[in-house]
């Protein structure tokens, strides 16, 4: 196993270890051949951002990087984009009004330097989504950007259970 693969494996193991116990909020029967749907209730909605931040900071610490702090502005821009992706019914980095991630960060008053945005359309948990981002080189670079000091993280869940995740980083 080469060094890069060992690092990815180790970082992925960190995220999966954070999953530890069975995640609450799954509905559906695996034994019936159907996938479980991750339904987010109010208690989970309060915990999700902090689980995500803790997992990302554990990954960054293991890579020798500094921790991230939440940015209220980047959180707001992330939430707006998650809802907008649902309206558009497609995961992409441009808003229905043509806005870029940088413009969305500026619109909510983010005064720092915008660095990156990660998006996902999935039925998976926040930790599974972070792990998927970690396994792809292009999205891993956003999570492991040494310049990043701030993070925004939000989602929008449709009634069918589909979740639109958005993570933004800045300095």
């Amino acid at each position: 196993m080469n060094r890069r693969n060992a690092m990815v494996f180790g970082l992925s193991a960190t995220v999966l270890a954070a999953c530890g116990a069975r995640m609450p909020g799954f509905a559906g029967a695996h034994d019936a051949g159907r996938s479980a749907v991750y339904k987010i209730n109010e208690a989970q909605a309060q915990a999700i951002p902090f689980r995500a931040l803790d997992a990302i900071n554990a990954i960054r610490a293991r890579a020798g990087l500094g921790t991230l702090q939440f940015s209220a502005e980047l959180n707001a821009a992330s939430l707006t984009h998650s809802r907008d992706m649902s309206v558009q019914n497609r995961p992409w980095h441009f808003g229905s009004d043509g806005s870029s991630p940088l413009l969305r960060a500026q619109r909510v008053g983010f005064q720092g330097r915008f660095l990156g945005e990660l998006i996902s359309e999935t039925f998976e948990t926040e930790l599974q989504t972070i792990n998927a981002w970690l396994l792809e080189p292009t999205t891993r670079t956003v999570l492991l950007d040494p310049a990043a000091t701030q993070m925004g993280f939000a989602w929008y869940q449709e009634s069918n259970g589909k979740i639109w995740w958005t993570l933004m980083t800045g300095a």
Side-chain angles (χ1 to χ4, degrees):
M1 179 182 290
N2 67 31
R3 185 170 187 235
R4 182 180 156 272
N5 287 340
M7 181 181 162
V8 170
F9 176 77
L11 294 174
S12 293
T14 300
V15 171
L16 292 175
C19 293
R22 184 165 188 243
M23 294 293 295
F26 282 96
H30 287 290
D31 56 13
R34 291 178 288 155
S35 295
V37 174
Y38 181 45
K39 289 286 194 176
I40 300 171
N41 64 33
E42 188 58 37
Q44 291 160 330
Q46 300 298 318
I48 285 171
F50 298 102
R51 279 197 303 257
L53 182 65
D54 289 347
I56 291 167
N57 280 335
I59 292 163
R60 290 177 60 85
R62 188 163 181 161
L65 300 170
T67 60
L68 302 179
Q69 302 294 319
F70 277 125
S71 158
E73 295 84 7
L74 293 179
N75 281 338
S78 295
L79 179 58
T80 298
H81 192 56
S82 292
R83 289 177 188 226
D84 191 41
M85 285 190 296
S86 174
V87 169
Q88 296 180 72
N89 195 33
R90 63 178 168 179
W92 75 323
H93 292 283
F94 294 94
S96 56
D97 62 355
S99 61
S100 67
L102 174 61
L103 182 57
R104 287 192 302 276
Q106 291 171 341
R107 282 181 180 168
V108 296
F110 182 65
Q111 298 295 311
R113 182 169 48 111
F114 172 77
L115 296 174
E117 179 181 73
L118 301 178
I119 58 172
S120 180
E121 166 196 21
T122 185
F123 291 91
E124 297 177 331
T125 70
E126 68 284 354
L127 297 178
Q128 291 168 324
T129 301
I130 291 166
N131 191 55
W133 287 333
L134 186 63
L135 293 174
E136 289 296 322
T138 55
T139 53
R140 182 174 54 249
T141 60
V142 173
L143 291 174
L144 299 179
D145 185 339
T149 58
Q150 298 183 55
M151 177 179 105
F153 184 76
W155 70 93
Y156 176 75
Q157 185 167 41
E158 296 178 355
S159 60
N160 65 3
K162 182 190 292 185
I163 307 170
W164 301 86
W165 300 99
T166 304
L167 180 144
M168 299 176 86
T169 59

